[in-house]
Amino acid sequence: MRKLSTEKRAMILSALVEGSSINATARMVGASKVTVLRLLADAGTFCEQYHNITVRDLQSKRVQVDEIWSFCGCKDKAVERGAGGLGSVWTWTAIDADSKLCVSFLVGLRDQQDAIAFCKDVAARLANRVQLTSDGLNAYLTAVDLAFGGNIDYARLVKMYGQTPDGEKRYSPAECIGCRREVAAGQPDPEHISTSYVERQNLTMRMSIRRFTRLTNAFSKKIENHAHAVALHFFHYNFIRKHQTLKTTPAVAAGIANKALTVLDLVKMIEEEESKVGGRLTDYLPAASKGSDSK
């Protein structure tokens, strides 16, 4: 089997993290769709393992959490009609408000079980007591209590919305008509009860991961590939992409990396790991969170 060069692999991953679809990337670099998907799977597998090992013992002070919606295969209404697909898929994210580091992410459902799993993972990566802010999702109340055991300053920013738009404006979100701050545990600083940074990260995801772009046909057809794309995005976001206000990467700002990496560095790390296991990483490492080679 002919193997892609290191440089061509870097070209493919660079296109993917900048918001190109699988088909567009394949056309740009002159590779097949299957080749691009296989590289995405290997890269996503490596990136999630690297995140799990590296993003630990964080000295964070303020963390914001949120969930972002997408769908896999088809939307919920089509699932109800018997179409093949999973319907709604949610990505849970936690952001350090100071370093902008993504502390944790989880691809799953917007339910109590995944809320608990997500919050426990966040707690396991922190080295000290933090101030946590979430939206008004009630699943967080139980999840935060189980994950942190009261050793946290936790507040909720509950947004109140007007009527859902219809007609030509039905794709726009409902208008936010106000916010209410609620203290759920400890003594959070009222000035830092905010979800602005994690919501801005959600926008970055929609701009950088083609599968999250609304009103396109680039959505994921397989949950495994959706999770791989998310893992690749957060590696790029944490370790490669320099934040405009920080002038460096979130990983460097958080003290878990000495310098900004490049996509070429990522490919070389993947190839080094492949040489260790003697084959594709998806055959030897655990699959990306929640979830065979099809878009």
Side-chain angles (χ1 to χ4, degrees):
M1 181 180 69
R2 189 166 62 90
K3 183 178 179 181
L4 291 176
S5 67
T6 300
E7 291 72 20
K8 196 159 189 177
R9 282 179 152 194
M11 289 175 59
I12 292 173
L13 295 183
S14 294
L16 293 178
V17 297
E18 293 297 342
S20 294
S21 67
I22 296 295
N23 287 329
T25 299
R27 290 193 297 268
M28 284 190 294
V29 303
S32 71
K33 175 181 173 180
V34 172
T35 297
V36 174
L37 284 168
R38 286 178 175 171
L39 178 57
L40 171 63
D42 288 338
T45 300
F46 173 82
C47 290
E48 183 171 24
Q49 294 301 308
Y50 191 89
H51 182 95
N52 285 336
I53 295 171
T54 307
V55 184
R56 298 282 178 182
D57 297 322
L58 302 177
Q59 304 295 324
S60 304
K61 296 180 180 179
R62 296 179 290 128
V63 174
Q64 301 176 5
V65 295
D66 198 16
E67 326 81 50
I68 179 172
W69 174 86
S70 55
F71 67 96
C72 184
C74 62
K75 295 183 179 178
D76 291 339
K77 289 184 178 180
V79 173
E80 294 172 1
R81 295 196 298 266
L86 294 179
S88 293
V89 174
W90 293 83
T91 301
W92 303 71
T93 58
I95 298 294
D96 182 316
D98 297 305
S99 68
K100 310 304 183 291
L101 180 81
C102 173
V103 175
S104 177
F105 60 91
L106 173 69
V107 176
L109 302 177
R110 199 170 186 244
D111 59 13
Q112 188 67 72
Q113 180 179 348
D114 281 342
I116 293 173
F118 171 67
C119 288
K120 285 185 175 180
D121 188 66
V122 173
R125 299 180 187 279
L126 301 173
N128 48 261
R129 185 183 181 112
V130 301
Q131 175 167 329
L132 182 73
T133 305
S134 75
D135 58 20
L137 182 65
N138 287 331
Y140 279 117
L141 294 172
T142 299
V144 170
D145 183 57
L146 290 175
F148 292 90
N151 185 31
I152 192 170
D153 299 310
Y154 171 42
R156 303 201 305 163
L157 187 67
V158 182
K159 295 182 178 179
M160 295 167 283
Y161 293 95
Q163 293 184 345
T164 302
D166 54 13
E168 293 183 358
K169 297 183 179 180
R170 64 192 176 97
Y171 294 111
S172 301
E175 180 183 1
C176 180
I177 59 176
C179 297
R180 183 177 70 253
R181 291 178 171 86
E182 296 181 354
V183 175
Q187 296 180 318
D189 184 348
E191 293 186 2
H192 295 298
I193 298 176
S194 171
T195 56
S196 297
Y197 292 123
V198 71
E199 289 175 0
R200 180 59 181 81
Q201 159 56 29
N202 287 349
L203 174 60
T204 301
M205 291 181 69
R206 292 228 181 266
M207 298 293 288
S208 303
I209 308 177
R210 188 62 172 171
R211 296 162 191 269
F212 281 77
T213 304
R214 299 180 185 274
L215 304 181
T216 73
N217 61 355
F219 56 88
S220 293
K221 314 307 185 293
K222 295 285 186 178
I223 188 61
E224 294 89 349
N225 290 330
H226 188 87
H228 290 315
V230 171
L232 174 62
H233 164 78
F234 279 118
F235 182 97
H236 182 263
Y237 175 85
N238 279 343
F239 296 97
I240 297 177
R241 178 176 174 171
K242 291 184 179 180
H243 198 281
Q244 290 184 352
T245 57
L246 297 173
K247 308 303 181 185
T248 188
T249 65
V252 172
I256 61 172
N258 296 323
K259 64 177 183 178
L261 300 178
T262 66
V263 176
L264 193 60
D265 291 330
L266 169 59
V267 173
K268 291 178 179 178
M269 293 163 68
I270 293 172
E271 291 178 342
E272 182 179 352
E273 198 66 29
E274 287 174 337
S275 66
K276 291 179 182 178
V277 301
R280 291 188 60 200
L281 300 187
T282 49
D283 296 332
Y284 294 92
L285 296 178
S289 58
K290 289 256 171 162
S292 305
D293 266 12
S294 174
K295 182 184 174 190

